[in-house]
Amino acid sequence: MKFPIRTKLILAICLPLLPVYLVVLGVDYRAGRERSIAHMKRHLTEATARLAGEIDKELAVASQTVLNAAALMTQFPLDEEVQLEALLHSNVRDTPSVFGAAIAFEPRAFQPQHDNFARYVYRSAADTTLTSTGIDYDYARWDWYLLPKLLDQPAWTDPYFDEGAGNILMCTYAAPFYRDETFRGVMTADISLDHLREKLRTADARGGYRLIVSRTGAFVSHPNASYIMGESIFSLGEWNESQELIALGHEMIAGRSGVRRLPDVETGHPVWIVFVPIPSVGWSVAAVIPEAEIMADVYAQLNLRAALLVAGLAAIVTLVMLVAAWITRPITRLAAAAQELARGNLEVQLPQMTSRDEIGEFAATFNTMVHDLKDTIDQRLHETAVRESLERELLVARQIQTSLTPMIRPPFPDRPEFTLDACTEPAKIMAGDFFDFWFVDRDVLAFVVADVSGKGVPAAMFMAVARTILRSFSSSDHSPAEVLMIADRIMAGENEEQMFVTVFHAHYHVGTGELTFANGGHNPPYIVRRDGSVTSLGSSTGPMVGVWGDAQIENRQISLAPGDSLVAFTDGVTEAQNAKGELFGEQRLERLLHAFHGEAVEEIRRRIHDEVNRYRESTDQDDVTLLVLRRTDSNS
């Protein structure tokens, strides 16, 4: 951002005051925040603990009522339906926190002629009368019956909606009872969640809200009614990707107390959560209050303090502006001249300054800088023109070199006896590696994979010479070894730079699968058999080409069966290095060839090339060339 000198002077004087103001505000904020949060923790923890105690007392009374009734049914079984209803009426009538009570028997445990027998007594909507009814559904599958039966101990259920009788959300405490040490049924007490929600709503939460979670983390009570029976504290944590909320849920179901700060799942704003266990049921009650509510008084005090500081700062700025206007007049003239220079006017000159201060010295230095800048720009323009010309020439040379290698894919589409694919990736603009293939007669395919010593333009020029010689003398009358020896004599004659090329040259009879080859110091290719076995063609049959002039190179022969492949490559593949300086190596290449042997030649070439590029991380790498030839299955 561009600032006038006047503004900079104002900032230079006023900015040192800002840290002082900010420190004062920061100290006030921190102290006020700590006081407010400490007060909130103390007050809300005490209030939540009292609320948890009240709920625990109500639930403990309800659960004790159930336990007493279950013990009665175990010690002194009631065999009359009238007696059972009287017991249930007593449990509901004498326990205000209980909405309804039930007794449910195992099949034929109460009366042999009844498969299932159960009675239920609950409060009416007006809470003035009690209603008695039977349970006409298969209660044996419900949690309030299954849990105490399977656990062989009393248990609280998660929230559920009771249809048919109370038609309310409730939780049930159920205890088993026995006869002759045999499970006979369960005795229950239902707690209305509406009753709990009303108790939580009337509790002091200072602008927040209260909630209850069960021993499994399910919401027993929550201001958002859709969460009850629909969500748990863990599902909310997973849905909102909140590990803090999940960790809070684990602490709550473990029966711990504490205070946590975390983002609200709906608004994302920070909230404080105070949680206290309800021991009798293993639930936990929590108070949730937004941090903004806690900090409201602190922010009000900060706003007042900030307004006073801003008023003082405004007075200082006004005074500084008057002084700055007097100082910056000569600097304005300097700025105008600098803008002309920025527009490209290299003839601009600053007026003669009579002052002997820093501004006068700056004017003289500026005039000298303009003169030197003109000379520098002229020199840079000349250097840029030369560099761009060289880059254009290199680009043309790269295009020419690329045109020397076969570009059609797939090559020889009219020859079904074999498939072939190859590529070269240069380390620099131009490559020293190259490949080539052509038919010396109708049934013999000649191909070459070679690597010139060095990189860049010299290697590319030597590569062009080598390719031309190999192409010129390759024929059905000259074997691969003879072609390499001819190339060695010609290239060594005028090779003052002692460059050389390693060459793998082969004649492949497409009808019989016979391969005659000569290897002048090059990496030995691999034969990948149809069954996936990988073998090397062995060591070179002669030295590198272009140095000796009288090199002796031999031919060798091998036969490719239908489905067999030959993979030739340059050392840029096996000598590729990762960041640790470790080589790609022959063993890794052999494993890849075995893994990819069933793929098409284009896919084998591409996947090996991709693996090499992924492996190498150093920028100083060699050219990479790959050629894959496969004899086509005679049955295809």
Side-chain angles (χ1 to χ4, degrees):
M1 185 178 293
K2 182 179 179 181
F3 292 107
I5 295 295
R6 184 181 304 176
T7 303
K8 291 181 179 178
L9 289 173
I10 295 172
L11 293 176
I13 296 173
C14 296
L15 281 180
L17 296 176
L18 289 179
V20 177
Y21 287 179
L22 293 176
V23 167
V24 171
L25 292 175
V27 170
D28 285 350
Y29 170 78
R30 184 170 181 177
R33 185 177 189 275
E34 290 177 353
R35 285 195 304 271
S36 295
I37 290 177
H39 176 73
M40 177 276 299
K41 289 181 179 179
R42 182 172 59 256
H43 172 80
L44 212 54
T45 300
E46 292 174 357
T48 305
R50 285 196 303 271
L51 178 61
E54 294 174 6
I55 296 174
D56 185 62
K57 182 178 180 180
E58 286 191 12
L59 298 179
V61 170
S63 60
Q64 189 60 50
T65 299
V66 174
L67 293 175
N68 291 341
L72 176 64
M73 289 298 299
T74 298
Q75 297 296 325
F76 306 102
L78 303 179
D79 296 328
E80 296 294 334
E81 187 173 342
V82 174
Q83 295 175 316
L84 295 178
E85 288 202 13
L87 176 61
L88 295 176
H89 275 77
S90 173
N91 289 348
V92 177
R93 182 182 61 251
D94 298 339
T95 313
S97 59
V98 173
F99 171 80
I103 184 169
F105 288 86
E106 279 283 271
R108 292 178 294 279
F110 180 68
Q111 294 175 343
Q113 66 271 26
H114 294 294
D115 287 339
N116 292 316
F117 179 83
R119 298 299 297 173
Y120 184 56
V121 174
Y122 62 96
R123 301 180 187 275
S124 67
D127 198 28
T128 58
T129 61
L130 301 182
T131 302
S132 176
T133 184
I135 299 178
D136 57 0
Y137 58 83
D138 187 8
Y139 55 78
R141 299 182 179 181
W142 284 62
D143 286 350
W144 59 264
Y145 190 86
L146 275 177
L147 287 176
K149 177 180 178 180
L150 296 179
L151 297 177
D152 196 25
Q153 63 183 17
W156 281 95
T157 69
D158 282 337
Y160 67 95
F161 188 80
D162 177 51
E163 294 184 0
N167 290 317
I168 62 169
L169 282 172
M170 63 173 59
C171 290
T172 298
Y173 183 77
F177 60 85
Y178 305 84
R179 183 177 297 174
D180 299 328
E181 298 183 356
T182 300
F183 175 79
R184 294 296 184 179
V186 300
M187 183 71 67
T188 74
D190 298 331
I191 302 298
S192 169
L193 296 188
D194 292 336
H195 170 70
L196 291 181
R197 292 176 67 183
E198 182 63 22
K199 180 179 286 291
L200 297 183
R201 188 184 66 81
T202 57
D204 175 23
R206 296 189 58 192
Y209 60 88
R210 308 274 187 171
L211 59 88
I212 297 177
V213 298
S214 71
R215 65 177 71 240
T216 63
F219 288 109
V220 176
S221 178
H222 194 282
N224 188 337
S226 64
Y227 288 175
I228 302 174
M229 297 196 307
E231 299 286 353
S232 71
I233 193 169
F234 299 109
S235 66
L236 284 185
E238 290 290 343
W239 182 256
N240 292 277
E241 298 181 353
S242 173
Q243 294 301 318
E244 298 98 329
L245 189 58
I246 294 174
L248 173 65
H250 284 296
E251 290 194 72
M252 294 177 74
I253 67 174
R256 301 191 184 102
S257 300
V259 182
R260 296 292 180 268
R261 179 183 184 270
L262 64 159
D264 185 75
V265 296
E266 294 183 351
T267 66
H269 299 150
V271 296
W272 287 86
I273 301 178
V274 178
F275 55 98
V276 177
I278 305 176
S280 65
V281 291
W283 296 352
S284 182
V285 61
V288 182
I289 182 170
E291 187 172 279
E293 181 70 24
I294 302 171
M295 299 296 294
D297 293 339
V298 177
Y299 291 146
Q301 291 294 326
L302 284 179
N303 290 337
L304 177 60
R305 181 67 63 88
L308 295 175
L309 294 179
V310 168
L313 187 62
I316 296 173
V317 169
T318 302
L319 179 61
V320 172
M321 287 180 64
L322 296 175
V323 177
W326 172 69
I327 296 175
T328 58
R329 288 192 187 98
I331 299 176
T332 303
R333 294 197 296 269
L334 291 175
Q339 290 175 356
E340 284 295 315
L341 178 63
R343 296 189 186 100
N345 183 8
L346 298 180
E347 303 300 328
V348 66
Q349 289 289 312
L350 289 173
Q352 187 68 30
M353 297 288 181
T354 58
S355 62
R356 301 290 182 177
D357 56 14
E358 290 83 355
I359 297 177
E361 293 177 1
F362 174 73
T365 302
F366 184 86
N367 290 332
T368 303
M369 178 191 69
V370 172
H371 180 270
D372 294 342
L373 181 61
K374 290 174 61 178
D375 293 342
T376 301
I377 289 176
D378 291 340
Q379 181 180 354
R380 292 292 175 86
L381 288 174
H382 175 72
E383 292 175 353
T384 300
V386 172
R387 184 175 65 254
E388 290 177 351
S389 176
L390 179 60
E391 290 175 351
R392 286 193 298 270
E393 292 174 0
L394 287 174
L395 181 59
V396 172
R398 170 62 179 160
Q399 293 171 346
I400 293 173
Q401 185 187 42
T402 301
S403 67
L404 295 177
T405 58
M407 300 296 293
I408 299 176
R409 287 185 176 175
F412 315 117
D414 58 338
R415 301 302 300 263
E417 302 97 326
F418 68 95
T419 56
L420 175 66
D421 192 56
C423 73
T424 293
E425 180 178 337
K428 295 186 176 180
I429 294 179
M430 303 183 71
D433 286 6
F434 69 95
F435 69 87
D436 203 356
F437 42 79
W438 62 93
F439 273 97
V440 296
D441 60 34
R442 174 168 179 78
D443 295 322
V444 177
L445 173 72
F447 62 89
V448 172
V449 175
D451 184 2
V452 175
S453 60
K455 303 175 185 176
V457 175
M461 296 178 66
F462 201 74
M463 164 264 184
V465 173
R467 177 188 177 276
T468 301
I469 295 173
L470 293 173
R471 270 258 187 175
S472 299
F473 289 94
S474 179
S475 68
S476 58
D477 297 330
H478 290 133
S479 69
E482 291 172 340
V483 173
L484 295 188
M485 288 188 288
I486 293 172
D488 180 64
R489 288 196 301 272
I490 295 174
M491 296 168 67
E494 298 181 0
N495 188 5
E496 296 180 358
E497 298 299 325
Q498 292 297 298
M499 297 184 71
F500 62 87
V501 58
T502 64
V503 186
F504 179 82
H505 181 33
H507 285 177
Y508 173 63
H509 195 287
V510 299
T512 64
E514 293 181 358
L515 183 76
T516 302
F517 66 91
N519 187 341
H522 195 74
N523 300 77
Y526 285 103
I527 299 298
V528 183
R529 298 298 181 183
R530 183 171 188 168
D531 61 2
S533 60
V534 180
T535 57
S536 172
L537 285 185
S539 59
S540 304
T541 64
M544 61 193 72
V545 175
V547 178
W548 316 106
D550 57 353
Q552 298 299 310
I553 301 175
E554 299 177 354
N555 287 316
R556 290 182 186 170
Q557 290 185 336
I558 146 184
S559 180
L560 296 182
D564 291 349
S565 302
L566 177 139
V567 180
F569 56 93
T570 59
D571 58 7
V573 174
T574 54
E575 295 180 5
Q577 298 182 22
N578 60 15
K580 298 179 181 179
E582 299 168 340
L583 298 180
F584 189 81
E586 286 81 1
Q587 291 183 352
R588 184 176 278 104
L589 177 58
E590 291 173 10
R591 288 196 298 269
L592 292 177
L593 292 175
H594 174 74
F596 303 153
H597 76 278
E599 305 285 348
V601 294
E602 297 87 350
E603 188 67 12
I604 293 175
R605 191 272 310 161
R606 183 189 66 78
R607 295 182 71 173
I608 294 176
H609 189 217
D610 290 347
E611 289 291 334
V612 171
N613 281 337
R614 276 194 291 269
Y615 185 83
R616 59 182 182 175
E617 299 184 22
S618 170
T619 57
D620 187 20
Q621 301 284 354
D622 203 353
D623 303 332
V624 172
T625 296
L626 280 163
L627 182 145
V628 184
L629 168 71
R630 175 178 292 165
R631 183 180 179 187
T632 306
D633 193 329
S634 59
N635 294 325
S636 62

